[in-house]
Amino acid sequence: FSGGSGVFSLRHATAEDVTLGISSASPSAPYSCVQGGAAASCVMTFHDAGFAFTIPDQTAGRDSAAITIAAVRKDLVTEKCVPAFANRSENVDFWSTYLNPATGTMQMTVNGTAIATSSPGTPVPLTFDASGESTIVVNYPDAGAVSLSASFTGTGAEAGLVLTGSDDFVSSPAGLCVEATGTNSDCASGDANCTVFTAAANPFALQVKAVAWETAGEADTDFCTGNPVTPNYQAAGIAISHTKIAPAGGSAGTIGITSFDMAAADNGVHTMSQSVSEVGVFRFTADPPAYVTAGDVIPASTSSNVGRFIPDRFTVSIDPDPPTTADACLTGSFTYLGQPFGYTVAPTITITALSAAGNTTVNYDCGGFWKFSSSPWSINYSYSDSAAPAALSPASATATDASGGDSDCNGSASVILNDSFTYARPSPSSPLAPFASAIDLSIPATAFTDSDGVCFDPGAGCAGIARSAISGANLVHGQGLAANAYGPETATSTDPLILPVSVLSYDGTAWQGNSSDSCTSVNTAKGTETGITVNTPSSPLTMTNGSGAISLYPTADPAPPGGSAEIILDFPSWLEPDLTVEAYFGIYRGNDRIINWQEVVR
């Protein structure tokens, strides 16, 4: 005591009641306890104290806002231990604890210092202000529920004093990186000009990574450019969806995997074997559920353009199958050598694009995704008949798009083989016996292979199609026949001179009248008339059972009576040569049964 009084600081490191008194005095004297100028109990209560701080949920890898930390009475946190910590700097020990998941590999930082993951922690110097408060900045680069603990152990006069405090918070990934990892998967232009990635319905690696924050304003593909992975991120039921970028028409198709779980074994990176059923360019979106608590929302993230997806193969059909040919003269079931004939029903060749799963990819013939060199589709092919005694034409042909085309987005295109055939006709002096057509059709593999190398593949590699011995036409060698005609100059329209015309066919032994021909028409015309004028014959003249007749009669007959007229017969090319015959009026030709006739005058 000095001057009869003294001021003392009392410290006690245990939360309990302590009775104050004077253990010894010289000279001895009685004492009493006064508080606020009034008599009071000498029992002083020491309260438990600790550090109070609240950490809001954080974004992994991003510094928190400044967090206030203060020493407070634990049962009344608004009452701060200002006298003990005002205007002083102290080392406070910090450590983190993994809660969910219960393990981890990444360290939290407090004010930039990496802290331990267990007590006694790592000392971090803090400066407390006049109110006994300081601030900390927390950064946890991983995902999960964690706890931050703080501890202060007194020394010297504060020996035995231990202040602790902790708070739990959730650290969520900044976002998800969604990307296809295969070669040529990126289709920056988002159109049909991109390099081939893979076939529709063919599995490819689609990777989803949970990542930490790197810079402000990141979204979607930004998360794939340098953001570190958060290996502790786990979630069930992350939805996967897709969006068609190109073509503008057609179908979005379906994807193979529509949701997945990010498991502990993934370490924040999940790779799935994804597929998309259609041709085109697509983006893929991962939409995670709320993380740990309903308030921890991680935004959906979308990949860059992935593609180009192409068909896996083509299938080819021919209808009707097998095709058949039809005779030029259907009523007589024959075709002359040199006479054109065609298919009974022109066959349609259809090519259809298929996915790896065998389903039609309707987007293949949408705009630029059609990858055949010709637009519309055209194919080259060839014909032959190696068994025929006469050459077949055409030897090669081209068919151009008839239906489907390259813009209706149904995945297929068709051409119709509207071909007309002929077998070469030799001279009638070298006749050929009748034979049946047996035409071979051959369409090469190149006709069904596009610029990406996708082809018609029935299972053993790229192939064309062929149909052998296409039958239906019956070929005969034919020629036209006509002879001079004779009649009286008194012929009339009701009793005309008849000029016969017929067609012949070679039966393998001899030329015979073709009684099956009721199809051939012969163009007729008058030629030179001598001494008489006759009617103009009707043209064309159609054969009936291989024969026809031209009716002729005089329309003018100046003296002397009678004369002749030329009749020109223009046969079809397959019955040539053309003929010119005479019709004689008023000239007696004699009896055809008499070999020699002579008049005798007496």
Side-chain angles (χ1 to χ4, degrees):
F1 286 93
S2 175
S5 65
V7 177
F8 306 94
S9 294
L10 302 180
R11 302 180 190 277
H12 191 68
T14 304
E16 60 184 356
D17 290 339
V18 176
T19 301
L20 301 181
I22 298 176
S23 60
S24 65
S26 179
S28 62
Y31 64 90
S32 62
C33 295
V34 178
Q35 184 175 6
S41 170
C42 289
V43 176
M44 179 177 286
T45 300
F46 286 84
H47 296 280
D48 196 8
F51 288 115
F53 52 90
T54 300
I55 305 175
D57 288 345
Q58 300 293 306
T59 298
R62 187 172 192 177
D63 285 347
S64 70
I67 298 167
T68 298
I69 180 171
V72 298
R73 172 178 162 180
K74 282 188 176 180
D75 61 348
L76 189 63
V77 295
T78 57
E79 187 173 304
K80 301 173 184 175
C81 303
V82 176
F85 284 89
N87 299 316
R88 60 185 281 190
S89 297
E90 293 290 349
N91 285 334
V92 177
D93 295 323
F94 288 93
W95 68 92
S96 63
T97 304
Y98 301 109
L99 301 177
N100 182 17
T103 60
T105 59
M106 306 187 82
Q107 286 182 281
M108 189 184 304
T109 64
V110 174
N111 291 354
T113 298
I115 61 173
T117 55
S118 62
S119 178
T122 301
V124 177
L126 299 182
T127 299
F128 292 86
D129 60 17
S131 298
E133 295 179 345
S134 186
T135 58
I136 57 174
V137 173
V138 176
N139 186 311
Y140 181 51
D142 206 346
V146 290
S147 177
L148 176 63
S149 297
S151 176
F152 172 78
T153 301
T155 59
E158 294 177 337
L161 175 64
V162 177
L163 300 181
T164 61
S166 66
D167 191 36
D168 301 342
F169 65 95
V170 173
S171 176
S172 300
L176 303 178
C177 164
V178 184
E179 59 184 352
T181 58
T183 303
N184 296 328
S185 62
D186 184 55
C187 179
S189 62
D191 56 29
N193 296 316
C194 289
T195 304
V196 173
F197 174 42
T198 191
N202 198 44
F204 66 94
L206 183 68
Q207 188 178 87
V208 179
K209 295 189 294 186
V211 297
W213 184 89
E214 188 180 35
T215 59
E218 289 179 309
D220 296 332
T221 56
D222 296 334
F223 293 123
C224 299
T225 55
N227 294 65
V229 173
T230 54
N232 265 9
Y233 178 71
Q234 299 173 33
I238 300 175
I240 296 291
S241 60
H242 74 301
T243 302
K244 176 170 64 69
I245 303 302
S251 169
T254 58
I255 55 176
I257 295 176
T258 56
S259 68
F260 73 97
D261 298 339
M262 184 77 80
D266 289 327
N267 292 317
V269 181
H270 182 88
T271 301
M272 68 193 77
S273 183
Q274 184 61 280
S275 64
V276 61
S277 66
E278 264 299 341
V279 164
V281 180
F282 301 86
R283 289 179 182 169
F284 298 86
T285 298
D287 190 3
Y291 183 53
V292 182
T293 65
D296 300 309
V297 177
I298 303 170
S301 292
T302 300
S303 72
S304 59
N305 297 334
V306 179
R308 175 173 48 102
F309 292 87
I310 64 172
D312 178 71
R313 61 190 184 278
F314 299 120
T315 184
V316 176
S317 64
I318 180 170
D319 182 40
D321 191 12
T324 58
T325 53
D327 277 311
C329 182
L330 293 175
T331 58
S333 299
F334 72 90
T335 301
Y336 289 113
L337 293 176
Q339 183 179 19
F341 65 98
Y343 285 107
T344 306
V345 176
T348 298
I349 308 297
T350 300
I351 185 171
T352 302
L354 301 181
S355 69
N359 300 314
T360 300
T361 52
V362 300
N363 291 354
Y364 180 68
D365 56 340
C366 285
F369 288 88
W370 174 263
K371 292 299 180 182
F372 280 92
S373 58
S374 58
S375 176
W377 188 40
S378 64
I379 59 173
N380 298 321
Y381 49 96
S382 62
Y383 291 111
S384 64
D385 185 347
S386 58
L392 174 69
S393 296
S396 62
T398 299
T400 301
D401 173 74
S403 64
D406 59 354
S407 60
D408 64 352
C409 302
N410 71 349
S412 66
S414 300
V415 292
I416 297 178
L417 309 188
N418 284 309
D419 292 309
S420 178
F421 304 99
T422 57
Y423 281 91
R425 175 179 180 258
S427 168
S429 62
S430 302
L432 294 179
F435 64 91
S437 65
I439 300 173
D440 297 333
L441 166 65
S442 178
I443 307 178
T446 53
F448 309 118
T449 303
D450 71 8
S451 60
D452 290 327
V454 181
C455 65
F456 168 46
D457 185 355
C462 296
I465 62 171
R467 293 296 182 271
S468 301
I470 298 172
S471 61
N474 300 286
L475 284 301
V476 296
H477 200 166
Q479 64 174 322
L481 179 66
N484 297 337
Y486 299 85
E489 73 277 12
T490 58
T492 65
S493 61
T494 56
D495 186 19
L497 179 152
I498 301 300
L499 191 152
V501 180
S502 60
V503 288
L504 307 179
S505 62
Y506 187 71
D507 65 4
T509 302
W511 288 97
Q512 304 287 344
N514 186 1
S515 60
S516 297
D517 190 345
S518 295
C519 299
T520 295
S521 293
V522 181
N523 291 321
T524 63
K526 289 193 301 181
T528 302
E529 296 173 301
T530 302
I532 197 168
T533 301
V534 301
N535 63 298
T536 299
S538 299
S539 182
L541 173 65
T542 299
M543 299 295 103
T544 300
N545 299 324
S547 299
I550 299 175
S551 298
L552 300 170
Y553 54 89
T555 58
D557 186 9
S564 64
E566 287 182 341
I567 301 299
I568 301 171
L569 301 173
D570 182 11
F571 287 96
S573 61
W574 48 89
L575 294 174
E576 290 180 345
D578 297 331
L579 299 175
T580 299
V581 295
E582 293 276 353
Y584 294 96
F585 293 87
I587 299 175
Y588 182 58
R589 63 174 288 185
N591 190 327
D592 288 337
R593 297 180 64 188
I594 297 174
I595 296 174
N596 186 41
W597 183 285
Q598 181 177 3
E599 288 188 4
V600 177
V601 179
R602 295 184 181 182

